[in-house]
Amino acid sequence: TPHTKGEHFFGGSETPEVNPTFWLNYVYSTQPDGRATPASAQRRRLIMHRWGGLGNQRYPIGFSGDTKSTWQSLAFQPGFTASAANVAFGYWSHDIGGFFDRVEPELYVRWVQLGSLSPVFRAHGFRDPLHERRFWLFDEAAFVAMRSALRLRAELVPHLYTAARAAYDGGPS
């Protein structure tokens, strides 16, 4: 039901099989203040929202969901990300390190390495002091490996931005 998926918070429908996510993503992306004005048309909008169905990829950043902090979950992500790309969902993100659980240093390093090559990088997790995601609070070896991955990402930013802009302008994402 919409209530169990959190969609009621965003004005979800009580009607079975009706999900307003596609429409909400479109409106928030194109008319964030509820009106289409010349001034609002000049703003660069970026929203993050859940999957709204095929065709919806033009509006939000998508993400792979509230993942678990496990090796199995990490192993699933590259194929899932490729599947998103196959339906033109180019603005894609992950909850780096998993969302719900504490993450061991080696696993977090591997998540950061994956994320550094993803279109959108988010070191994100459940708000809990035990679910640490700040790189500099991990041991030295993990920090150095994560810093190396982030430096590579910084070198790729011009390419990522150019590809994102081309996709926004109507090209493939």
Side-chain angles (χ1 to χ4, degrees), residues 32-54:
D33 59 359
R35 301 179 302 270
T37 65
S40 68
Q42 299 303 312
R43 290 189 225 138
R44 291 183 178 181
R45 296 170 191 88
L46 192 60
I47 62 170
M48 183 163 204
H49 202 277
R50 61 183 71 231
W51 174 250
L54 292 174

Side-chain angles (χ1 to χ4, degrees), residues 33-113:
D33 59 359
R35 301 179 302 270
T37 65
S40 68
Q42 299 303 312
R43 290 189 225 138
R44 291 183 178 181
R45 296 170 191 88
L46 192 60
I47 62 170
M48 183 163 204
H49 202 277
R50 61 183 71 231
W51 174 250
L54 292 174
N56 196 221
Q57 71 278 359
R58 183 163 170 83
Y59 307 111
I61 293 174
F63 65 106
S64 59
D66 295 334
T67 56
K68 293 191 174 286
S69 301
T70 65
W71 288 98
Q72 295 80 10
S73 180
L74 175 60
F76 177 77
Q77 297 306 309
F80 190 49
T81 300
S83 295
N86 286 340
V87 295
F89 215 126
Y91 296 120
W92 193 253
S93 181
H94 311 276
D95 289 342
I96 301 294
F99 183 78
F100 289 111
D101 310 301
R102 191 174 186 174
V103 62
E104 63 182 88
E106 178 66 18
L107 177 58
Y108 193 51
V109 166
R110 300 304 178 199
W111 269 102
V112 168
Q113 289 170 334

